[in-house]
Amino acid sequence: MRTDIILSGVGGQGILSIATIIGAAAIKEGLYIKQAEVHGMSQRGGDVQSNLRISSEPIASDLIPLGKADLIISLEPMEALRYLPYLRKEGWLITNTVPFVNIPNYPEETGLMDRIHSLSHSVSIDVDSIARSVASPRAANIVLLGAASPFLGIEVEKIEESIRTVFGRKGEAVVEMNQKAFRAGLEIAEQSIKK
Amino acid sequence: MGEKQLLLGDEAVALGAIHAGLSGVYAYPGTPSTEITEFIQNHPLAVERKIHSNWSSNEKTAMESALGMSYMGKRAMVCMKHVGMNVAADAFVNSAMTGTNGGLIVVVADDPSMHSSQNEQDSRFYGKFAMIPIFEPSSQQEAYRMMADAFDLSERYKVPVLMRMVTRMAHSRAVVKTGTIRDMNPMSYPSNPGDWVLMPAVARKRNVHLITMQQDFLEESEKSMYNKMEDGADTSLGIIACGIVYNYLMEHFKEGCPYPVLKVAQYPLPVKAIRQLAKRCDSLLVLEDGQPVVEEMIRGVLEQGIVVKGRLTGEVPRTGELTPDNIVAALGLKNEEVYPACELVVPRPPALCQGCGHRDMYGALNEVLREYENGRVFSDIGCYTLGFLPPYRAIHSVVDMGASITMAKGAADAGQFPSVAVIGDSTFTHSGMTGLLDAVNEQSNITILISDNLTTGMTGGQDSAGTGRLESICRGIGVKPEHIRVVVPLPKNMEEMKNMIREEINYQGVSVIIPRRECIQTARRHNKK
C-alpha cells in the first residue's frame, strides 16, 4: 500500500495532531513513514501544511511531488484548495467547510465551495459544529480525521486504537471525547462515499 | 538497543548525540534548529546523565562554551540556525585552529527557500572556510548514525566537525533504529595545552597542522559509507546528489536510476569518485540544496572538459530549496498534467497573535510617530518583525540580531529624528546590549523599545537570558535610571504608553522603554499547568 497525504490548515488548528495519530497507526502496522512539517514563523496564523507519506515500501522523498497526493485533508476550505496541484486527478479532498477569516481579502465562500464540489472526489463537512455537538470544539481536527479515515489505506479500527495511544496519557475522558468525534466524522464520510 | 522511534531530523541528531556520549549541548534557539536542544532538555537519559542543555545568550557564547567543554575532554555539541553561524563565526573558525580535545560537533541548520530566515547562506562554505570535515545527512537514520561517527572523527583528528542540516531534514519525521549507547567521556585535560593559545607563533604552527590534515579528511570522505556510487547504464549523464536531494532524485526512479549517481553526504568532496564519474559520463548534473557549493568546486577540480549542469547553468533553479518537482526538467522527465493552481486562493501571511503585547506596543508607537514628519523605526529579529505587515506597517528595517539599536544610533548620528529601535527581550540580550553601550557612550539621541514578552517567542517560547533583569542591565550599561521606563502594553494603558513614548522621543539622549507583558502563547501554557 501507499498513501500520500497533504494536511493543510491555518497555524494552530491542529493538523500536526492528525499527522501524529496517523503516524502512530502506520508505525504499529510496520509501514514506512515520512512526514515533513512546518515550524517557526509560518505558524503564526499563516497557512501551514504537512506532507505525510505512508507506504509498505521504502519512501524516497520527504516531499510529495505535484499530482501525486492521494488525499488532501484540510481544516479550512481555502487552504484545501491551495494544494490542488498536488492532488492526483483521482485523489480525494476532505475538508472542513468553515472558513478561517483572518485576512481582509478572503475570497467568497460560495466560490470556494463550488470549486471543491466540482472535484470528482470530495468530502466537505462542518467539523466545527459536529465537534461542538458530539464532543468539544477542541476535537474538530479529530472529526476531520474520522472523515478521512476510510481513505488512509490503514484499517479504521487501527486509527481508532491510535487515538487511544496518543491521547491515553491525558485520561479516559479525553480519549472518549476524541473517539466520539472520530466516529462522527467517519459516519459522514461513509455517507458521502455511498452517494 | 535497536529500538525504533519516529523522529524529526533534529531529534535524530539529538538522540544520536546523547547515545554517542554527549556531555553538553549549547545553543540559542533558531528555526529550524531549535528542536535539537529541546529534545535533549526533555530526554530521560540526558536528564539522568545531567547533560548540559540550558540555552545560551547567543551563538557565539554557545560555541565558546562548547569548545570549553571539549577542552576538558568531554563530548560537546553546539546547535544554531545558519545565520547564527555568522554570530559564532569568530569562535567557530578559531576552534579549528585550537583543535579540540573531547569530540566537538557544530550542527548548523540551513534554511533554503528562507521559510523563517533572512537569507539562504550555505554553511558548507563555512566548513570549507574553517577547513574541517562536514556531514550532510540524507535521511533521519543517517543523521542519527552520523553523530557517533562525527564524534569519533572529531576525536581522531582533534578537530571540530560540522553537521549541516536543511529545513526539510530538520523538520521531517521518519523511523530511526537506534544503536548502542556509549558512556560519556571522563574529564581529561588536553595533551597539547600550548596549542590552545592562539598567539601568532602558535597559530602559524596550528595552521600548518590543519592544512596537513586536509589529505586525511579527504581520504576519510573517499572511504566514507555515506558517500556512495550507484551504477547506471546510461552514461550520457552522471548525477551528483548531495544530502536530502538524493531522495528527491530517487523519488523519480523507484526501480533505480538509469544514470550513474554519486550520493554525497560527507565532505571534503570525494574527488576520486567525482573524477571517475566524469570520466565515464558525457555530462554531469549537480543536485544540491542551498547554494551551488559543489557545482562551483567541481568546475575547478575537473581535468576533463565536461559539461557540468546545475544551479549555475539554470538546469535547476538558482535559488530556493530543491524539490522532487523542480529537478524534473534536469532529469529529462516531464511533469504529469495536474490540477491548475486555484485562482481563488490568496496568500495568508503569518500575523501577530490576537491579544499579543507587541500589537499594543506598535499601536501606541504608530500613533505617536504620526505627530512627527519623518519617524524611522529600526527593528529586529523576532515575532515583532511582523509589525512590517498590515495593519501596523510600523518598521523600516530588519537585518540581523541586534541591528535595531545600532542602526538607530547610526541613523541618529546622521541626523535622523525621531530615531527609534524596536527589539525583543531575547534579541536584546543576544546582541543588543553591546550596541546599547555604544549609544550610551556617545549619548546618541535614540529611543529604544525593548518589547519584553518574557520569553524567546518566535521559536516557541524558550527561556530568555535576561528575564527579570532588563532594567538593571540597562542601568549597568549606563542608561539614566529616569529614562528607563516600564509599561504594561494593554489597550487600557494606551494613553500612558503614548505619553511615555512621546516624552522619551523628545528627551535628547538614550532612553529605553520596556513594554512588558508575557507572551500569550506561553501564558496559555502556564495557565494550563
Side-chain angles (χ1 to χ4, degrees):
Chain A
M1 64 78 65
R2 168 174 205 129
T3 311
D4 286 336
I5 308 163
I6 289 181
L7 295 153
S8 63
V10 179
Q13 280 191 313
I15 66 164
L16 290 184
S17 309
I18 299 180
T20 305
I21 293 164
I22 300 174
I27 287 177
K28 216 165 178 192
E29 294 296 284
L31 298 169
Y32 290 92
I33 170 169
K34 283 204 173 181
Q35 185 212 335
E37 303 175 359
V38 173
H39 297 209
M41 196 176 207
S42 36
Q43 285 178 311
R44 300 269 175 273
D47 56 282
V48 289
Q49 54 85 19
S50 171
N51 281 213
L52 176 59
R53 316 189 78 183
I54 45 183
S55 171
S56 49
E57 303 298 318
I59 303 161
S61 167
D62 301 70
L63 297 174
I64 300 168
L66 287 164
K68 298 285 188 191
D70 302 290
L71 279 179
I72 291 176
I73 304 175
S74 181
L75 279 160
E76 210 278 344
M78 182 178 80
E79 295 310 324
L81 290 170
R82 190 181 300 279
Y83 305 98
L84 208 50
Y86 287 92
L87 189 64
R88 268 196 309 121
K89 285 281 167 74
E90 293 305 304
W92 281 80
L93 184 147
I94 292 129
T95 184
N96 184 11
T97 55
V98 184
F100 190 107
V101 183
N102 62 348
I103 44 173
N105 55 339
Y106 193 91
E108 275 292 315
E109 206 181 318
T110 47
L112 290 176
M113 292 319 297
D114 287 349
R115 188 60 58 89
I116 288 166
H117 293 139
S118 75
L119 299 172
S120 41
H121 300 302
S122 70
V123 178
S124 49
I125 53 176
D126 178 346
V127 296
D128 294 31
S129 54
I130 293 170
R132 255 196 312 276
S133 69
V134 305
S136 144
R138 277 185 300 153
N141 54 347
I142 306 302
V143 175
L144 188 70
L145 172 63
S149 60
F151 307 98
L152 297 173
I154 300 176
E155 283 173 54
V156 169
E157 295 73 36
K158 307 284 181 187
I159 306 285
E160 211 171 340
E161 275 172 37
S162 181
I163 290 178
R164 175 167 294 280
T165 319
V166 170
F167 290 107
R169 61 188 174 86
K170 293 187 176 173
E172 193 55 31
V174 176
V175 171
E176 268 177 34
M177 177 189 85
N178 281 294
Q179 285 181 335
K180 259 190 216 163
F182 179 82
R183 275 180 228 128
L186 174 61
E187 268 173 40
I188 291 174
E190 282 171 343
Q191 286 160 17
S192 300
I193 300 169
K194 276 182 211 145
K195 268 184 217 165
Chain B
M1 185 195 141
E3 208 185 323
K4 282 184 172 178
Q5 297 186 38
L6 182 62
L7 297 176
L8 286 176
D10 275 350
E11 295 169 345
V13 164
L15 190 61
I18 295 171
H19 286 177
L22 180 76
S23 290
V25 60
Y26 295 86
Y28 180 81
T31 313
S33 70
T34 313
E35 293 83 356
I36 304 170
T37 304
E38 286 184 328
F39 184 88
I40 296 172
Q41 288 171 343
N42 296 312
H43 194 275
L45 180 60
V47 173
E48 183 195 314
R49 288 184 164 188
K50 298 190 169 65
I51 295 177
H52 175 278
S53 62
N54 289 342
W55 295 106
S56 303
S57 288
N58 65 37
E59 292 84 356
K60 177 176 180 284
T61 66
M63 180 74 226
E64 290 154 350
S65 302
L67 185 60
M69 183 167 270
S70 163
Y71 179 92
M72 295 305 295
K74 303 262 189 178
R75 290 190 161 186
M77 173 165 76
V78 50
C79 310
M80 61 196 75
K81 68 181 296 173
H82 60 334
V83 287
M85 183 58 115
N86 300 328
V87 178
D90 197 1
F92 168 72
V93 174
N94 287 309
S95 71
M97 295 292 284
T98 59
T100 58
N101 185 20
L104 176 59
I105 302 181
V106 183
V107 186
V108 186
D110 290 357
D111 189 18
S113 277
M114 301 174 268
H115 298 279
S116 317
S117 312
Q118 66 271 50
N119 75 28
E120 219 173 32
Q121 67 182 60
D122 192 314
S123 299
R124 292 176 299 172
F125 280 122
Y126 267 112
K128 190 170 162 46
F129 187 45
M131 298 188 278
I132 61 170
I134 307 168
F135 286 85
E136 184 187 11
S138 69
S139 69
Q140 292 76 358
Q141 183 68 59
E142 234 175 39
Y144 171 84
R145 186 163 180 175
M146 276 176 173
M147 294 308 287
D149 288 338
F151 272 124
D152 288 348
L153 187 69
S154 171
E155 288 182 353
R156 193 148 64 243
Y157 295 100
K158 302 279 177 199
V159 286
V161 170
L162 182 72
M163 179 83 170
R164 188 228 185 188
M165 303 284 284
V166 293
T167 302
R168 293 296 173 188
M169 178 50 58
H171 286 171
S172 173
R173 284 179 203 278
V175 172
V176 171
K177 189 162 181 267
T178 59
T180 45
I181 299 176
R182 182 187 177 279
D183 286 337
M184 300 198 288
N185 287 356
M187 214 170 80
S188 71
Y189 291 103
S191 56
N192 55 343
D195 290 348
W196 289 75
V197 183
L198 292 178
M199 289 168 63
V202 177
R204 282 181 207 117
K205 192 183 89 183
R206 294 296 303 167
N207 194 31
V208 170
H209 176 66
L210 184 58
I211 287 167
T212 310
M213 281 193 296
Q214 297 305 301
Q215 189 56 35
D216 300 317
F217 299 162
L218 180 61
E219 279 164 23
E220 291 283 352
S221 277
E222 305 273 11
K223 66 177 194 213
S224 167
M225 60 176 284
Y226 302 114
N227 295 335
K228 128 186 120 164
M229 184 78 90
E230 287 165 10
D231 215 4
D234 185 348
T235 55
S236 62
L237 186 69
I239 302 173
I240 299 165
C242 306
I244 195 170
V245 185
Y246 173 76
N247 303 342
Y248 304 153
L249 170 67
M250 297 317 285
E251 177 70 22
H252 296 289
F253 303 111
K254 302 262 157 60
E255 313 298 324
C257 183
Y259 311 108
V261 176
L262 175 64
K263 180 199 142 209
V264 175
Q266 183 176 339
Y267 306 79
L269 267 186
V271 175
K272 267 188 213 153
I274 288 176
R275 285 196 178 133
Q276 245 174 35
L277 191 69
K279 213 171 265 174
R280 286 188 56 210
C281 300
D282 303 334
S283 60
L284 292 180
L285 172 66
V286 184
L287 299 175
E288 55 187 324
D289 226 348
Q291 295 175 311
V293 177
V294 170
E295 195 181 340
E296 282 185 350
M297 276 190 225
I298 65 171
R299 278 169 196 284
V301 166
L302 295 179
E303 289 154 351
Q304 34 307 65
I306 185 170
V307 178
V308 179
K309 305 172 191 170
R311 286 187 184 271
L312 292 171
T313 52
E315 272 80 6
V316 285
R318 181 66 181 81
T319 61
E321 65 183 342
L322 296 185
T323 67
D325 301 313
N326 64 18
I327 62 171
V328 161
L331 298 171
L333 304 173
K334 271 193 183 146
N335 278 321
E336 279 174 54
E337 201 198 315
V338 300
Y339 283 114
C342 177
E343 76 289 350
L344 298 172
V345 177
V346 294
R348 192 193 296 266
L352 289 168
C353 303
Q354 293 301 324
C356 168
H358 296 317
R359 283 181 175 261
D360 300 308
M361 178 271 296
Y362 276 129
L365 179 62
N366 274 354
E367 282 202 29
V368 174
L369 284 182
R370 243 175 252 133
E371 300 162 13
Y372 298 86
E373 208 167 318
N374 269 316
R376 283 294 179 274
V377 179
F378 302 90
S379 192
D380 229 300
I381 312 277
C383 286
Y384 47 91
T385 304
L386 297 170
F388 177 62
L389 303 176
Y392 296 105
R393 302 179 193 272
I395 62 178
H396 300 91
S397 76
V398 170
V399 182
D400 65 86
M401 296 286 282
S404 56
I405 295 176
T406 25
M407 283 185 70
K409 178 194 181 299
D413 292 346
Q416 168 61 29
F417 175 81
S419 193
V420 178
V422 170
I423 186 169
D425 50 314
S426 183
T427 306
F428 175 68
T429 46
H430 178 290
S431 287
M433 297 190 296
T434 43
L436 180 59
L437 181 59
D438 283 352
V440 165
N441 285 345
E442 292 190 39
Q443 294 183 20
S444 306
N445 190 17
I446 62 173
T447 306
I448 300 161
L449 283 92
I450 305 178
S451 199
D452 183 6
N453 59 5
L454 306 168
T455 190
T456 312
M458 192 168 64
T459 47
Q462 295 76 22
D463 292 343
S464 175
T467 296
R469 284 169 295 147
L470 291 185
E471 294 93 311
S472 57
I473 289 170
C474 292
R475 270 199 306 277
I477 287 172
V479 182
K480 296 208 172 89
E482 62 272 30
H483 294 289
I484 301 170
R485 303 177 66 177
V486 181
V487 61
V488 181
L490 278 170
K492 64 172 184 175
N493 298 339
M494 195 52 74
E495 282 313 305
E496 181 192 357
M497 236 185 320
K498 278 162 56 184
N499 289 337
M500 200 178 274
I501 294 170
R502 194 180 296 110
E503 286 162 22
E504 295 308 327
I505 283 176
N506 291 338
Y507 164 67
Q508 285 276 323
V510 179
S511 38
V512 173
I513 298 167
I514 307 175
R516 174 177 294 138
R517 179 154 67 82
E518 187 181 2
C519 164
I520 62 156
Q521 297 289 348
T522 59
R524 207 171 282 164
R525 263 177 273 161
H526 288 156
N527 290 341
K528 269 190 193 168
K529 276 180 192 165

